[in-house]
């Protein structure tokens, strides 16, 4: 069950926002005539551990899941951001979105709902920024860029407003932010400027982060190379910067600040004050969705039939059912704390922990207690394959626990250049023989080859490779829709 009827190959999502790939090139439908899967398009709302059922809401017709919003134009600012759908003033306009409620029984339950963008409570971000988690987000980014260029060439647009409209801000200098900045740089400077020669020298891409450097998970030399290369390519990198707010309207404009996509936004930072931007993409990190924070909280009744053990005991103590149990979560960000076999755990006020034998969690919404892997698609893929193998062989608990294998980290930085950090896994001999990483055009070739091979279907493997080849001869897709 999933609220969407497709899987997205997220490592190439930035390529769709920049016109390098079609959106269909990175989408795999859940329904496949060759698969033996019963699929329900719905969102989980609650879990009854005692009855072993999941309460679901159908999401076949719902904004944010379907591609086009069906509400009034002036209210779309708070519609598509995570967790904002039921906030005012949207609620009266979305009554038709309430889907049918139904229960789905389970023998084994795997929770893999992922994460949403973390805004740190920054004023205006939830309502006005663009996030970058799914196909709809990438479409909005691409559409807004073309929108800003068209607005900038209107005869009525002032010189100052033109500069603000063509200033694109990306907040977050992790792999997603870096790759998005690099991809947009290629799109704007290599393709769009040929269509808008009168705007030469005006477009600007700025990357913000609170950390003192970009790509903190990479080796120091690779991080420094990324910063130096991207600056040479025209991307302004502002590290150690703190975003204070985001609102519609020009810098210095008096309130009230109403949403007006025909004009710019104002991004306020602690270091530089108010700055006019045409678009702000927020990619700062992950927060838990409401299903994890609210639906998976307290437990009405201890599901004794599902408990594998309590504090290492083979059976639950007699007084365990009388205790108040909650889902065990990490204290900082709130993901579910799972054991080495990815099993969900409960805890009570007495400090006891109950491991569930039939409920598992993986991906960004879960954190193994024996060592959390990085929040990357690579780690989630390994967890999913490992757990599927264990469930198919019915040997959970009889094999060694899950262990993440670092296969290296890659990031595209623009202009056919990339980074690849080579894992050494503590092997002193390998550390002496292998470099810390590969960079430049060689790394870009490895990056492309790796992501083509990791695409799920042969259909998309061939489409991605063919599209990248076509881009070299005919340029990227610059359509606005």
């Amino acid at each position: 069950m999933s609220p969407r009827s497709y899987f997205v190959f997220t490592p190439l999502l930035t390529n769709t926002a920049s016109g390098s790939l079609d959106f269909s090139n990175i989408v795999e439908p859940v329904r496949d005539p060759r698969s033996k899967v019963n699929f329900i398009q719905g969102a989980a709302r609650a879990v009854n551990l005692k009855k072993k059922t999941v309460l679901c809401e159908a999401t076949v017709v719902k904004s944010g899941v379907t591609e086009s919003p069906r509400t009034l134009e002036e209210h779309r600012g708070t519609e598509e951001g995570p967790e904002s759908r039921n906030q005012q003033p949207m609620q009266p306009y979305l009554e038709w979105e309430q889907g049918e409620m139904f229960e789905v029984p389970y023998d084994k339950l795997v929770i893999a709902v992922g994460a949403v963008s973390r805004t740190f409570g920054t004023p205006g971000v939830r309502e006005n920024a663009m996030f970058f988690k799914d196909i709809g987000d990438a479409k909005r980014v691409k559409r807004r860029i073309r929108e800003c260029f068209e607005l900038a060439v209107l005869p009525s647009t002032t010189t100052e407003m033109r500069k603000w409209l063509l200033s694109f801000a990306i907040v977050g200098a992790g792999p997603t932010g870096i790759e998005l900045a690099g991809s947009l740089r290629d799109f704007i400077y290599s393709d769009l400027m040929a269509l808008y020669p009168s705007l030469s020298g005006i477009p600007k891409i700025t990357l913000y982060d609170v950390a003192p450097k970009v790509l903190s998970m990479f080796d120091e030399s690779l991080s420094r190379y990324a910063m130096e290369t991207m600056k040479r390519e025209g991307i302004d990198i502002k590290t150690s910067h703190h975003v204070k707010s985001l609102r519609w309207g020009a810098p210095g404009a008096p309130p009230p600040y109403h949403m007006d996509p025909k004009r710019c936004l104002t991004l306020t930072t602690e270091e530089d004050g108010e700055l006019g931007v045409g678009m702000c993409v927020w990619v700062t990190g992950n927060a838990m969705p409401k299903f994890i924070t609210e639906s998976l909280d307290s437990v009405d009744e201890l599901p004794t039939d599902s408990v594998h053990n309590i504090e290492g005991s083979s059976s639950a103590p007699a007084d365990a059912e009388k205790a108040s149990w909650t889902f065990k979560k990490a204290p900082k960000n709130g993901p579910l704390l799972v054991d080495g076999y990815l099993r969900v755990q409960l805890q009570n006020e007495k400090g006891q922990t109950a491991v569930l034998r039939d409920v598992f969690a993986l991906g960004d919404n879960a954190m193994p207690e024996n060592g959390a892997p990085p929040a990357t698609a690579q780690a989630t893929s390994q967890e999913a394959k490992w757990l599927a193998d264990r469930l198919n062989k019915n040997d959970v608990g009889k094999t060694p626990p899950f262990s993440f294998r670092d296969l290296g980290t890659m990031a595209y930085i623009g202009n056919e250049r990339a980074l690849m950090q080579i894992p050494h896994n503590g092997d002193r001999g390998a550390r002496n023989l292998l470099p810390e990483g590969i960079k430049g055009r060689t790394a870009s070739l490895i990056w492309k080859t790796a992501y083509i091979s990791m695409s799920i279907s042969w259909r998309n493997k061939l489409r991605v490779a063919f599209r990248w080849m076509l881009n070299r001869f005919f340029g990227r897709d610059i359509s606005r829709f």
Side-chain angles (χ1 to χ4, degrees), residues 159-204:
T159 301
E160 197 170 39
M161 180 58 68
R162 184 177 295 117
K163 181 185 68 175
W164 291 333
L165 283 170
L166 297 181
S167 179
F168 305 106
I170 299 171
V171 181
T176 302
I178 287 289
E179 292 199 345
L180 181 59
S183 296
L184 294 187
R185 177 262 169 214
D186 294 347
F187 184 46
I188 292 172
Y189 295 148
S190 299
D191 296 271
L192 291 185
M193 294 316 302
L195 302 179
Y196 303 90
S198 62
L199 301 178
S200 178
I202 302 177
K204 180 181 180 182

Side-chain angles (χ1 to χ4, degrees), residues 108-149:
K108 298 285 192 301
L109 174 65
V110 180
I111 301 170
V113 296
V116 296
S117 298
R118 190 178 184 186
T119 65
F120 304 95
T122 308
V125 169
R126 181 66 64 191
E127 297 81 11
N128 304 319
M130 292 188 177
F131 301 96
F132 207 76
K133 289 286 187 182
D134 204 350
I135 287 291
D137 299 324
K139 284 186 174 182
R140 292 184 68 200
V141 169
K142 183 183 178 185
R143 186 168 60 242
R144 180 58 182 171
I145 291 173
R146 287 302 313 275
E147 197 172 77
C148 288
F149 271 84

Side-chain angles (χ1 to χ4, degrees), residues 262-471:
K262 299 186 296 297
R263 300 292 183 266
C264 69
L265 301 98
T266 293
L267 179 73
T268 304
T269 66
E270 190 176 295
E271 291 74 17
D272 299 332
E274 292 189 341
L275 305 161
V277 297
M279 175 185 72
C280 176
V281 185
W282 195 270
V283 286
T284 57
N286 292 332
M288 292 300 103
K290 283 187 175 182
F291 180 71
I292 299 295
T293 59
E294 298 181 8
S295 300
L296 300 186
D297 188 16
S298 60
V299 178
D300 295 334
E301 187 178 357
L302 181 67
T304 52
D305 293 340
S306 296
V307 173
H308 172 67
N309 70 319
I310 297 180
E311 290 190 335
S313 173
S314 58
S315 61
D319 61 345
E321 295 186 51
K322 301 177 183 179
S324 177
W325 292 88
T326 61
F327 284 85
K328 191 174 185 180
K329 301 177 183 178
K332 186 177 180 181
N333 299 323
L336 297 169
L337 277 176
V338 296
D339 69 355
Y341 296 93
L342 306 182
R343 294 179 293 202
V344 170
Q345 303 175 104
L346 306 178
Q347 62 183 3
N348 62 20
E349 69 277 7
K350 300 178 181 179
Q352 295 175 307
T353 297
V355 179
L356 302 181
R357 62 165 57 92
D358 50 18
V359 183
F360 305 84
L362 56 84
D364 293 337
N365 57 251
M367 179 183 293
E369 285 187 315
N370 61 347
T376 61
Q378 177 188 157
T380 302
S381 175
Q382 290 185 28
E383 289 177 339
K385 290 178 180 178
W386 181 89
L387 182 58
D389 198 33
R390 301 282 70 77
L391 293 178
N392 287 333
K393 295 180 179 179
N394 196 27
D395 60 0
V396 175
K398 303 174 185 177
T399 64
F402 170 77
S403 178
F404 172 68
R405 181 187 177 192
D406 187 1
L407 301 177
T409 308
M410 299 181 292
Y412 179 75
I413 59 176
N415 196 21
E416 297 300 323
R417 290 177 173 83
L419 307 174
M420 179 181 178
Q421 181 151 297
I422 299 175
H424 297 292
N425 300 322
D427 188 338
R428 185 170 298 178
R431 185 175 295 275
N432 293 332
L433 295 174
L434 295 174
E436 289 296 331
I438 303 172
K439 54 193 177 185
R441 298 188 184 279
T442 302
S444 178
L445 180 61
I446 297 173
W447 180 87
K448 288 185 175 181
T449 303
Y451 284 149
I452 288 174
S453 67
M454 285 187 282
S455 294
I456 299 174
S457 66
W458 273 103
R459 174 175 175 268
N460 276 353
K461 291 178 194 289
L462 296 174
R463 293 176 73 188
V464 169
F466 185 64
R467 181 57 188 274
W468 277 340
M469 183 181 68
L470 286 181
N471 289 344

